[in-house]
Amino acid sequence: MRDTNPPLTTALPPSLVWLFATAAGLSVANVYYAQPLLATLAQQFGMTDAASGMVITATQLGCALALLLLVPLGDMLNRRRLTLFQLGLLAICLTALGCARSTAALLGGMLMVGLLGTAMTQGLIAYAASAAASHERGRVVGVAQGGVVIGLLLARTLSGVVADMADWRAVYFVSAAIAGALLLLLWRKLPPAQPSHQKLAYGALLASMLAMLMHNKVLRVRGMLALLMFAVFNIFWSALVLPLTAQGYRHAAIGAFGLVGVIGALGAARAGALADKGRAQWTTGAALLLMLAAWLPLGFASTALWPLIIGIIALDLAGQAIHVTNQSLIFKHDSDAHSRLVACYMLFYAVGSGAGAIAATSVYALAGWHGVCALGAAVSLLALLFWRRTLPTERISSTPA
């Protein structure tokens, strides 16, 4: 499909691109604060190691609901007003989560944080894509997505440090304060949103997403790659806390491993720029091979530190390159539908992340860390084989109509 809005020719100011990246990173961090806290939350709320994966799964359920019901609103409502309203609600929900006293309240709070954190993050990515000129869209999306990856990785570090200094509740109170400060900044700095030329009712807006999934082959192929890639990502990060906690690592030390993965985020803009130059398939194949190879050093996580660090760098670099390339391709055309396109695409992500989290903790309870690594390697191999099998189809379908 081609753009229905006139093409933009003026590049976005770097300060605005980085504002999108920063806001997206701070928003997505809320979805990942719980990962280094799983052992503590399980103990405080009386959950087993296997059942603790439900904390992450509840958050991912909120992500899925956001993608189905909230993110598409960006193609219908004013993106600027919608972003500010959702951020205000997120600050309120973070405060309520910090006050949770029962398992039901904890899981309900995680669901709402996943709902609003995802709506904010993906809304900002679509906002940045629609504001960018077509010749720089991959780069802009890459920078914004780099902010997302840095946010989700640093979330683990911030969560661990704050939890060690105070307790897990302080993590969410601090995040609520950050959301309030971000609300003031975005209110002052966000640019006016481009109006959509399509006038759809809410029901028709949601129904159009099904049509996109049925008729857009690039979206389906890239979505399935996202599902498998994010399953791999969450198989690792959801289970890592368990062997490290058993070895006596504190929250801050566990969260600090997220700092290592920031190196992967540095490749975000580069992956988007390669997609702008027509190198998307080359980038995807190389990243999938790296993701599979990463599980070899990760298998030594329970006995040695340096192989774990090398494996984290490789896994995050591969995942980031795949994700940015995917989004660069699905955002290539039809700027009036960017919110719905990212919502459809990220639905695959939510399914993969939730399945990966619950599978990781369950497999760890049955087969330990090496069982988790075998699972992660198997899903990585499946992603590589799927990409190779669908490569001819995607090449044909990605040609502009």
Side-chain angles (χ1 to χ4, degrees), residues 342-360:
V342 76
C344 290
Y345 169 75
M346 293 301 292
L347 279 172
F348 291 93
Y349 145 83
V351 172
S353 294
I358 196 66

Side-chain angles (χ1 to χ4, degrees), residues 126-160:
Y127 201 154
S130 64
S134 58
H135 69 274
E136 64 166 358
R137 190 165 289 153
R139 180 187 64 82
V140 170
V141 169
V143 174
Q145 187 59 42
V148 172
V149 173
I150 291 174
L152 69 87
L153 294 175
L154 292 184
R156 302 181 179 100
T157 303
L158 176 62
S159 178

